[in-house]
Coordinates of all heavy atoms in Angstrom, one line a residue:
L260 N 6.5 4.4 -14.9 CA 6.8 5.8 -14.9 C 7.7 6.2 -13.8 O 7.6 5.6 -12.7 CB 5.5 6.6 -14.7 CG 4.4 6.4 -15.8 CD1 3.2 7.2 -15.4 CD2 4.9 6.9 -17.2
S261 N 8.6 7.1 -14.1 CA 9.6 7.6 -13.1 C 8.8 8.7 -12.2 O 9.2 9.9 -12.2 CB 10.8 8.1 -13.6 OG 11.5 7.1 -14.3
L262 N 7.7 8.3 -11.6 CA 7.1 9.3 -10.8 C 6.4 8.4 -9.5 O 6.2 7.3 -9.6 CB 5.8 9.8 -11.5 CG 6.1 11.0 -12.5 CD1 4.8 11.4 -13.2 CD2 6.6 12.2 -11.6
P263 N 6.2 9.1 -8.4 CA 5.6 8.5 -7.3 C 4.1 8.1 -7.6 O 3.4 8.8 -8.4 CB 5.6 9.5 -6.2 CG 6.7 10.5 -6.5 CD 6.7 10.5 -8.0
A264 N 3.7 7.1 -7.1 CA 2.3 6.7 -7.4 C 1.3 7.7 -6.9 O 0.2 7.8 -7.6 CB 2.0 5.3 -6.6
A265 N 1.6 8.4 -5.9 CA 0.6 9.4 -5.4 C 0.5 10.5 -6.3 O -0.5 11.1 -6.4 CB 1.2 9.9 -4.0
D266 N 1.5 10.8 -7.2 CA 1.4 11.9 -8.3 C 0.7 11.3 -9.5 O 0.1 12.3 -10.2 CB 2.8 12.4 -8.6 CG 3.6 13.1 -7.5 OD1 2.8 13.4 -6.5 OD2 4.8 13.3 -7.6
V267 N 0.6 10.1 -9.7 CA -0.1 9.5 -10.9 C -1.5 9.2 -10.7 O -2.4 9.4 -11.5 CB 0.7 8.4 -11.4 CG1 0.0 7.7 -12.6 CG2 2.2 8.7 -11.7
S268 N -1.8 8.7 -9.5 CA -3.2 8.2 -9.2 C -4.3 9.2 -9.5 O -5.4 8.8 -10.0 CB -3.2 7.6 -7.7 OG -2.5 6.5 -7.6
P269 N -4.2 10.4 -9.1 CA -5.3 11.3 -9.3 C -5.6 11.6 -10.8 O -6.7 12.0 -11.1 CB -4.8 12.7 -8.6 CG -3.7 12.3 -7.7 CD -3.0 11.1 -8.3
Y270 N -4.7 11.3 -11.7 CA -5.0 11.5 -13.1 C -5.0 10.3 -13.9 O -5.0 10.3 -15.1 CB -3.8 12.4 -13.6 CG -3.6 13.6 -12.7 CD1 -2.4 13.6 -11.9 CD2 -4.4 14.8 -12.9 CE1 -2.3 14.8 -11.0 CE2 -4.2 15.8 -12.1 CZ -3.1 15.8 -11.1 OH -3.0 17.1 -10.4
A271 N -5.1 9.1 -13.2 CA -5.1 7.8 -13.9 C -6.5 7.4 -14.5 O -6.7 6.2 -14.9 CB -4.4 6.8 -13.2
R272 N -7.5 8.2 -14.3 CA -9.0 7.8 -14.5 C -9.2 6.4 -14.0 O -9.2 6.2 -12.8 CB -9.1 7.9 -16.1 CG -8.8 9.2 -16.7 CD -9.3 9.3 -18.1 NE -9.0 8.2 -18.9 CZ -7.9 8.1 -19.6 NH1 -7.0 9.1 -19.6 NH2 -7.7 7.1 -20.5
D273 N -9.6 5.5 -14.9 CA -9.9 4.1 -14.4 C -8.7 3.2 -14.5 O -8.9 1.9 -14.5 CB -11.1 3.6 -15.2 CG -10.9 3.6 -16.7 OD1 -9.8 4.2 -17.2 OD2 -11.6 3.0 -17.5
G274 N -7.6 3.8 -14.6 CA -6.3 3.0 -14.7 C -5.9 2.4 -13.4 O -6.5 2.7 -12.2
V275 N -5.0 1.5 -13.3 CA -4.4 0.8 -12.2 C -3.0 1.3 -11.9 O -2.2 1.3 -12.9 CB -4.4 -0.7 -12.3 CG1 -3.8 -1.4 -11.1 CG2 -5.9 -1.2 -12.5
V276 N -2.8 1.8 -10.7 CA -1.4 2.4 -10.3 C -0.9 1.6 -9.2 O -1.5 1.4 -8.2 CB -1.5 3.8 -10.0 CG1 -0.2 4.4 -9.6 CG2 -2.2 4.7 -11.0
E277 N 0.3 1.1 -9.4 CA 1.0 0.2 -8.4 C 2.4 0.9 -8.0 O 3.1 1.2 -8.8 CB 1.2 -1.1 -8.9 CG 2.0 -2.0 -7.9 CD 2.4 -3.4 -8.6 OE1 2.0 -3.7 -9.8 OE2 3.2 -4.2 -7.9
E278 N 2.6 1.2 -6.7 CA 3.8 1.8 -6.2 C 5.0 0.7 -6.4 O 4.8 -0.4 -5.8 CB 3.7 2.2 -4.8 CG 4.9 2.9 -4.4 CD 4.7 3.6 -2.9 OE1 3.6 3.4 -2.3 OE2 5.6 4.1 -2.3
L279 N 6.1 1.2 -7.0 CA 7.3 0.3 -7.1 C 8.4 0.9 -6.3 O 9.5 0.3 -6.2 CB 7.7 0.3 -8.6 CG 6.7 -0.4 -9.5 CD1 7.2 -0.4 -10.9 CD2 6.3 -1.9 -9.0
G280 N 8.4 2.0 -5.7 CA 9.3 2.7 -5.0 C 9.0 4.2 -4.7 O 7.9 4.6 -5.1
P281 N 9.9 4.9 -4.1 CA 9.6 6.2 -3.9 C 9.4 7.2 -5.1 O 8.6 8.1 -5.0 CB 10.8 6.8 -2.9 CG 11.9 5.9 -3.3 CD 11.3 4.5 -3.6
D282 N 10.0 6.8 -6.2 CA 9.9 7.6 -7.5 C 9.6 6.8 -8.6 O 9.9 7.2 -9.8 CB 11.1 8.4 -7.6 CG 11.5 9.4 -6.5 OD1 10.5 10.2 -6.2 OD2 12.6 9.5 -6.0
R283 N 8.9 5.6 -8.5 CA 8.6 4.8 -9.6 C 7.3 4.1 -9.3 O 6.9 3.7 -8.2 CB 9.7 3.6 -9.8 CG 11.0 4.1 -10.2 CD 12.0 3.0 -10.4 NE 11.8 2.3 -11.6 CZ 11.4 1.0 -11.7 NH1 11.3 0.2 -10.6 NH2 11.4 0.4 -12.9
C284 N 6.5 4.0 -10.4 CA 5.2 3.3 -10.3 C 4.8 2.6 -11.6 O 5.3 2.9 -12.6 CB 4.1 4.2 -9.8 SG 3.6 5.4 -11.1
R285 N 3.9 1.6 -11.4 CA 3.5 0.9 -12.6 C 2.0 1.4 -12.9 O 1.2 1.6 -12.0 CB 3.4 -0.6 -12.3 CG 3.0 -1.5 -13.5 CD 2.6 -3.0 -13.1 NE 3.7 -3.5 -12.2 CZ 4.8 -4.0 -12.7 NH1 5.1 -4.0 -14.0 NH2 5.9 -4.4 -11.9
L286 N 1.8 1.7 -14.2 CA 0.6 2.2 -14.7 C 0.0 1.3 -15.7 O 0.6 1.0 -16.7 CB 0.7 3.6 -15.2 CG -0.6 4.2 -15.9 CD1 -1.6 4.4 -14.9 CD2 -0.3 5.6 -16.5
I287 N -1.3 0.8 -15.5 CA -2.0 0.0 -16.5 C -3.2 0.9 -16.9 O -4.0 1.2 -16.0 CB -2.4 -1.3 -16.0 CG1 -1.2 -2.1 -15.5 CG2 -3.3 -2.1 -17.0 CD1 -1.6 -3.5 -14.9
L288 N -3.3 1.2 -18.2 CA -4.3 2.1 -18.6 C -4.8 1.7 -20.0 O -4.2 1.1 -20.7 CB -3.6 3.6 -18.8 CG -4.6 4.7 -18.9 CD1 -5.3 5.0 -17.6 CD2 -3.8 6.1 -19.2
G289 N -6.1 2.1 -20.2 CA -6.8 1.8 -21.5 C -7.2 3.1 -22.3 O -7.3 4.1 -21.7
S290 N -7.4 2.9 -23.6 CA -7.9 4.0 -24.4 C -8.6 3.4 -25.7 O -8.6 2.2 -25.9 CB -6.6 4.9 -24.8 OG -7.1 5.9 -25.5
W291 N -9.0 4.3 -26.5 CA -9.8 3.9 -27.7 C -8.9 3.5 -28.9 O -9.3 3.0 -29.8 CB -10.7 4.9 -28.1 CG -10.1 6.3 -28.2 CD1 -10.1 7.3 -27.2 CD2 -9.5 6.9 -29.3 NE1 -9.3 8.3 -27.6 CE2 -9.1 8.2 -29.0 CE3 -9.4 6.5 -30.7 CZ2 -8.4 9.0 -29.9 CZ3 -8.7 7.3 -31.6 CH2 -8.2 8.5 -31.1
S292 N -7.5 3.9 -28.7 CA -6.6 3.5 -29.8 C -5.2 3.5 -29.2 O -5.0 4.1 -28.1 CB -6.6 4.5 -31.0 OG -6.0 5.8 -30.5
W293 N -4.3 2.9 -29.9 CA -2.9 2.8 -29.4 C -2.2 4.2 -29.3 O -1.6 4.6 -28.4 CB -2.1 1.8 -30.1 CG -2.5 0.3 -29.9 CD1 -3.1 -0.5 -30.7 CD2 -2.5 -0.3 -28.7 NE1 -3.4 -1.6 -30.2 CE2 -3.1 -1.6 -28.9 CE3 -2.0 -0.1 -27.4 CZ2 -3.1 -2.5 -28.0 CZ3 -2.0 -1.0 -26.4 CH2 -2.6 -2.2 -26.6
P294 N -2.4 5.0 -30.4 CA -1.8 6.4 -30.3 C -2.4 7.2 -29.3 O -1.9 8.0 -28.6 CB -2.1 6.9 -31.7 CG -2.1 5.8 -32.6 CD -2.8 4.7 -31.8
G295 N -3.8 7.0 -29.1 CA -4.5 7.7 -28.0 C -3.9 7.4 -26.7 O -3.8 8.2 -25.8
L296 N -3.6 6.0 -26.4 CA -3.2 5.6 -25.2 C -1.7 6.1 -24.9 O -1.4 6.5 -23.8 CB -3.1 4.0 -25.2 CG -2.5 3.4 -24.0 CD1 -3.3 3.8 -22.6 CD2 -2.5 1.8 -24.0
A297 N -0.9 6.1 -25.9 CA 0.5 6.6 -25.9 C 0.4 8.1 -25.5 O 1.2 8.6 -24.7 CB 1.3 6.3 -27.1
A298 N -0.5 8.8 -26.1 CA -0.6 10.3 -25.9 C -1.0 10.5 -24.5 O -0.6 11.4 -23.8 CB -1.5 10.9 -26.8
A299 N -2.0 9.6 -23.9 CA -2.4 9.8 -22.5 C -1.3 9.6 -21.5 O -1.3 10.3 -20.5 CB -3.7 8.8 -22.3
I300 N -0.6 8.6 -21.9 CA 0.6 8.3 -20.9 C 1.7 9.4 -21.0 O 2.3 9.8 -20.1 CB 1.2 6.9 -21.3 CG1 0.2 5.8 -21.0 CG2 2.4 6.7 -20.4 CD1 0.6 4.4 -21.5
G301 N 1.9 9.9 -22.2 CA 2.9 11.0 -22.4 C 2.6 12.2 -21.7 O 3.5 13.0 -21.6
R302 N 1.5 12.5 -21.2 CA 1.1 13.7 -20.5 C 1.7 13.8 -19.2 O 1.9 14.8 -18.5 CB -0.3 13.9 -20.4 CG -1.2 12.9 -19.7 CD -2.6 13.0 -19.9 NE -3.3 11.9 -19.2 CZ -3.9 11.9 -18.1 NH1 -3.8 13.1 -17.3 NH2 -4.5 10.9 -17.6
F303 N 2.1 12.6 -18.7 CA 2.8 12.6 -17.4 C 4.3 13.0 -17.7 O 5.0 12.4 -18.5 CB 2.8 11.2 -16.8 CG 1.5 10.8 -16.3 CD1 0.7 9.8 -17.1 CD2 1.0 11.2 -15.1 CE1 -0.5 9.4 -16.7 CE2 -0.3 10.8 -14.8 CZ -1.0 9.8 -15.6
D304 N 4.8 14.0 -16.9 CA 6.1 14.6 -17.2 C 7.2 13.7 -16.5 O 7.6 14.0 -15.4 CB 6.1 16.0 -16.6 CG 7.4 16.7 -17.0 OD1 8.2 16.2 -17.7 OD2 7.7 17.8 -16.4
A305 N 7.4 12.5 -17.1 CA 8.3 11.6 -16.5 C 8.9 10.7 -17.6 O 8.3 10.6 -18.8 CB 7.7 10.8 -15.5
D306 N 10.0 10.0 -17.3 CA 10.6 9.0 -18.2 C 9.6 7.8 -18.2 O 9.0 7.4 -17.2 CB 11.9 8.5 -17.7 CG 13.0 9.5 -17.9 OD1 12.8 10.5 -18.8 OD2 14.0 9.6 -17.3

């Protein structure tokens, strides 16, 4: 995601957030379906 890890972590539930730079982070997240997972990731306002 094109967002700082500090902006993503509070909303990642039980996901894993790794900082990759000042404005980039890696997010590993789970859900009950693939569309559900895509929708959950899409709520972050970022590329």
Side-chain angles (χ1 to χ4, degrees):
L260 299 176
S261 298
L262 279 176
D266 293 347
V267 176
S268 294
Y270 308 101
R272 303 193 311 272
D273 56 350
V275 177
V276 181
E277 177 187 353
E278 183 176 356
L279 298 179
D282 296 311
R283 296 178 76 243
C284 70
R285 184 188 314 276
L286 172 64
I287 302 175
L288 195 64
S290 184
W291 50 272
S292 72
W293 293 112
L296 178 57
I300 296 173
R302 63 194 172 94
F303 294 101
D304 187 13
D306 291 337

